Amino acid sequence: WEEARSPGGVRWTQLEHRGPCFAPPYEPLPDGVRFFYDGKPMRLSVAAEEVATFYGKMLDHEHAAKEVFRNNFFRDWRKEMTAEERRVIKHLSKCDFTEIHRHFVDRAAARKALSREEKQRLKEEAEKLQQEFGYCILDGHREKIGNFKTEPPGLFRGRGDHPKMGMLKRRVRPEDVTINCGRDSKIPEPPAGHQWKEVRSDRTVTWLAAWTENVQNTLKYVMLNPSSKLKGERDWEKYEVARRLKGVVGEIRSQYQADWKSQEMKARQRAVALYFIDKLALRAGNEKEEGESADTVGCCSLRVEHVQLHPEADGRRYVVEFDFLGKDSIRYYNKVPVEKPVYRNLQLFMENKDRGEELFDRLTTASLNKHLQDLMDGLTAKVFRTYNASITLQEQLRALTRADDGIAAKLLSYNRANRAVAILCNHQRATPKTFEKSMQALRSKIEAKKQQVAEAKAELKAARAGHVPREDGRPESFLDKRQRRLEKLEEQLVRLSTQATDKEESKQVALGTSKLNYLDPRISIAWCKRFAVPVERVYNKTQREKFAWALDTAGEDFEF
DNA sequence: CGTCAAACTTAGGACCACACAA
DNA sequence: TTGTGTGGTCCTAAGTTTGACG
């Protein structure tokens, strides 16, 4: 494949598709649903009403309570109003959306209460849409598209403390959309009465359609599903680069350790940053424009306020305490002992700086990646995350798996190995709302099962004691039955206890992200083969489709 | 060399269908 | 039959990287 990579960055020769599927047009509210301003009912223009419904839907959402959200919404909403509406509607606090809110709550309930047949019909309609818009022809193969629908209009919801939360995200029209397709394939038909913004045939990119999203002024793309050959090849390449890093990582580590003592400040900063990226799996950390998004950082953009140095903590020397918000405003908190030269360097980097200043002021992600490129072809900061994640999975699986364990126990080992990676990469999730309740339920189930096991044991014992062996020596079916029942119950108990352990250990850890993006699937597939675990127990259908490239190639002796 | 846009990967949460228990 | 918890899917935001440009 590597050799097969086409010259000039050409990614395909044939591409044919139907274009994106647009969000349905706005349906005005029925007459009975009113908006009130200052206690008086007020009929809104269609444009203003539509935006009002976006807010009304979110009335009980925690966003709607936030000052920034409300202000942004109100500012953008006013832009959609007629001059007359704008004259009247001056304060959000005087707006009453409760009827609108109730209307959508009722509608959701009605949808839920639909009969089996109606739901089936809806499902079939969705399937039809999927068949019509959800596939493309790429180089002779029918491939699934990832996101064939344009994003519907609504209020922007950023993550964390986003300065733009509540802003109006406009409806995407065909006139906003650029189509990319093969030069001699059929050009998709725009919806009746509309035109595409542009139709082009750029074979060096993989998107089928693109438009600019108005809140952040960034491009959005329609691209292929992860199961596609195009995406699969890239995935494979990603892991091959990480495997090449395995071959030179020792050297790279020696190099950056030597650079901790470099004469050049820039080289020292780079060496310490790279050490963090390698050891702690931090992200590169690009600069972000202030006020455009939430204040989050990665390695290169760490500020003095994000690290604390402890000459000694918890009985360990040279401890660095990290506390910052990373991607998606997920908190990274870690206390790690480091080598003395790293510690000394950090002291040096922090000297005479305010808490708001950059720790690595001489370093950018561009200069770091440039350096990495010199160390190994194709090496960038994120390759370290891929490498360390995959190698950790492989090591953990080796350490944890017992060949004579049952499938359930093996799967627990797998999940534990997966979890070690997720913790390394700081992949968190909110504890499920129902966690305590369902945990309690599981515990009572275990208790009940224990009881059953005890009873079954007693019964078996009693049966044995009271039983006279038959002369003909034929197996005693009564005894057998009791025996089998006990075994089955014991098996169920093990399964439940395993489940409980797994659940408790995973409550705040998101396993999916690493599984999907960082772990070379061949490691898992080889493990399944070696320990006779059906692959379906580790990868669901979608995941198997995404990793089809690995399913075909990885043998039980695959080594990352 | 820094800046910016483009293109792509990575990310957590919402939502929904479905299995299973009551 | 109904209620409920959960895994899987969908959604789209938020990162990284590259390359053009001045």
Side-chain angles (χ1 to χ4, degrees):
Chain A
W1 276 352
E2 214 155 17
E3 281 79 358
R5 211 163 154 173
S6 310
V10 169
R11 308 293 306 276
W12 49 266
T13 50
Q14 181 205 14
L15 177 59
E16 188 164 316
H17 59 92
R18 286 285 314 263
C21 175
F22 289 88
Y26 175 66
E27 266 179 58
L29 292 170
D31 287 336
V33 181
R34 294 164 303 171
F35 165 76
F36 295 87
Y37 188 73
D38 209 7
K40 294 184 259 311
M42 181 174 174
R43 185 91 193 207
L44 295 172
S45 64
V46 175
E49 186 191 278
E50 180 177 10
V51 180
T53 64
F54 298 155
Y55 190 81
K57 281 177 193 171
M58 299 178 70
L59 222 47
D60 56 359
H61 206 281
E62 58 185 291
H63 281 298
K66 291 182 182 165
E67 184 77 11
V68 177
F69 188 93
R70 293 162 62 90
N71 290 156
N72 284 333
F73 157 71
F74 195 58
R75 192 180 312 115
D76 279 1
W77 185 31
R78 281 177 56 85
K79 290 180 203 155
E80 300 304 305
M81 293 176 187
T82 62
E84 175 61 13
E85 284 166 340
R86 223 175 352 252
R87 195 182 59 75
V88 175
I89 302 173
K90 287 261 164 55
H91 302 283
L92 181 56
S93 56
K94 293 186 178 173
C95 295
D96 180 352
F97 301 91
T98 48
E99 284 197 7
I100 296 177
H101 178 70
R102 189 160 348 111
H103 169 69
F104 287 105
V105 170
D106 291 348
R107 227 179 53 167
R111 244 183 95 87
K112 223 188 217 164
L114 249 35
S115 72
R116 180 180 297 273
E117 297 74 42
E118 286 167 314
K119 277 183 181 164
Q120 183 60 29
R121 199 176 51 78
L122 248 40
K123 201 177 160 186
E124 276 160 19
E125 255 166 48
E127 177 57 26
K128 205 177 129 217
L129 209 63
Q130 166 79 36
Q131 287 301 325
E132 193 175 347
F133 288 94
Y135 292 87
C136 68
I137 306 285
L138 191 131
D139 292 344
H141 296 285
R142 187 164 183 260
E143 299 271 29
K144 202 168 177 183
I145 298 169
N147 55 327
F148 60 90
K149 289 175 179 167
T150 62
E151 295 170 13
L155 302 183
F156 177 81
R157 303 142 101 121
R159 314 248 167 92
D161 232 339
H162 199 117
K164 296 191 172 187
M165 64 170 81
M167 283 187 171
L168 173 63
K169 193 169 78 166
R170 296 181 180 290
R171 180 177 293 276
V172 181
R173 303 157 306 152
E175 285 71 14
D176 303 318
V177 174
T178 301
I179 295 289
N180 192 31
C181 64
R183 194 167 294 285
D184 33 44
S185 64
K186 199 161 144 276
I187 294 170
E189 204 58 51
H194 289 277
Q195 290 172 11
W196 302 121
K197 178 181 182 187
E198 184 194 337
V199 177
R200 64 170 87 158
S201 182
D202 184 348
R203 300 190 301 164
T204 68
V205 296
T206 65
W207 52 268
L208 319 191
W211 68 89
T212 300
E213 174 271 327
N214 68 287
V215 175
Q216 316 233 55
N217 202 237
T218 56
L219 283 160
K220 297 274 190 172
Y221 301 93
V222 171
M223 287 194 187
L224 293 184
N225 186 273
S227 63
S228 61
K229 183 160 175 275
L230 208 60
K231 294 285 187 193
E233 277 174 2
R234 275 301 159 105
D235 214 27
W236 174 78
E237 280 174 24
K238 174 180 78 184
Y239 291 113
E240 288 307 297
V241 172
R243 291 175 82 196
R244 279 197 285 122
L245 173 56
K246 184 188 177 188
V248 296
V249 74
E251 223 178 308
I252 289 174
R253 285 171 178 161
S254 312
Q255 153 98 249
Y256 69 59
Q257 282 165 18
D259 280 346
W260 290 341
K261 310 236 165 85
S262 171
Q263 304 291 320
E264 229 189 318
M265 184 56 111
K266 188 179 165 176
R268 280 196 187 205
Q269 292 195 353
R270 196 176 61 202
V272 172
L274 187 49
Y275 166 74
F276 287 157
I277 285 170
D278 183 21
K279 182 186 173 79
L280 305 174
L282 300 191
R283 296 187 184 82
N286 285 297
E287 290 305 324
K288 296 171 79 181
E289 214 175 324
E290 214 181 313
E292 291 295 301
S293 58
D295 177 20
T296 63
V297 296
C299 186
C300 294
S301 50
L302 280 170
R303 299 191 296 262
V304 170
E305 62 194 299
H306 298 129
V307 294
Q308 269 193 63
L309 304 182
H310 305 282
E312 210 182 312
D314 317 320
R316 300 175 301 186
R317 304 213 65 189
Y318 309 122
V319 172
V320 184
E321 184 178 358
F322 292 87
D323 193 352
F324 61 90
L325 297 182
K327 182 177 180 179
D328 292 321
S329 294
I330 295 293
R331 185 179 181 205
Y332 182 91
Y333 181 81
N334 203 357
K335 249 177 161 176
V336 274
V338 300
E339 286 80 342
K340 187 174 171 185
V342 171
Y343 191 86
R344 293 274 174 248
N345 271 314
L346 289 171
Q347 287 180 316
L348 183 66
F349 303 158
M350 290 165 81
E351 231 168 59
N352 303 319
K353 278 187 196 165
D354 290 337
R355 46 184 280 109
E357 287 185 75
E358 285 201 343
L359 181 63
F360 302 117
D361 55 295
R362 304 287 181 83
L363 189 65
T364 65
T365 53
S367 68
L368 175 64
N369 279 333
K370 173 108 186 11
H371 172 72
L372 293 175
Q373 194 60 243
D374 294 339
L375 298 181
M376 188 193 102
D377 186 43
L379 187 60
T380 62
K382 84 187 183 88
V383 178
F384 281 88
R385 259 168 94 82
T386 311
Y387 161 70
N388 279 308
S390 286
I391 203 75
T392 300
L393 179 76
Q394 182 166 284
E395 285 166 4
Q396 287 293 303
L397 284 177
R398 189 164 293 161
L400 297 172
T401 317
R402 302 266 164 272
D404 50 357
D405 271 348
I407 301 258
K410 282 178 182 159
L411 284 169
L412 176 61
S413 301
Y414 182 89
N415 279 346
R416 284 188 167 149
N418 192 167
R419 193 174 308 124
V421 175
I423 289 166
L424 174 71
C425 294
N426 200 39
H427 291 143
Q428 297 188 25
R429 62 167 183 173
T431 304
K433 287 191 181 71
T434 54
F435 180 82
E436 246 334 295
K437 202 178 153 210
S438 63
M439 196 63 197
Q440 199 50 53
L442 191 55
R443 275 196 283 262
S444 13
K445 252 166 104 178
I446 290 173
E447 279 316 305
K449 195 61 77 182
K450 275 184 184 160
Q451 191 69 37
Q452 282 181 295
V453 168
E455 280 164 18
K457 265 187 185 154
E459 275 179 38
L460 180 64
K461 204 173 158 194
R464 276 205 180 116
H467 137 267
V468 186
R470 295 213 294 212
E471 312 242 313
D472 59 9
R474 266 173 53 205
E476 182 56 77
S477 69
F478 177 69
L479 259 189
D480 271 2
K481 243 187 217 158
R482 289 288 148 97
Q483 181 68 39
R484 276 204 304 277
R485 179 173 149 73
L486 175 62
E487 277 167 15
K488 204 170 156 197
L489 285 171
E490 277 177 331
E491 215 170 273
Q492 285 170 344
L493 179 59
V494 169
R495 183 181 292 240
L496 283 175
S497 318
T498 306
Q499 230 181 63
T501 311
D502 213 17
K503 197 182 173 77
E504 180 63 40
E505 290 174 1
S506 302
K507 66 176 174 187
Q508 280 179 306
V509 184
L511 300 183
T513 306
S514 52
K515 201 174 186 180
L516 238 43
N517 300 300
Y518 288 104
L519 300 175
D520 188 329
R522 293 169 294 186
I523 298 169
S524 302
I525 292 162
W527 177 84
C528 284
K529 289 184 176 166
R530 209 173 310 136
F531 294 103
V533 175
V535 171
E536 310 82 70
R537 300 298 297 274
V538 168
Y539 290 132
N540 68 29
K541 183 161 162 281
T542 315
Q543 293 164 342
R544 292 198 300 278
E545 279 165 9
K546 167 167 174 155
F547 297 134
W549 60 269
L551 249 14
D552 295 343
T553 58
E556 66 172 286
D557 47 3
F558 173 83
E559 175 135 10
F560 177 76

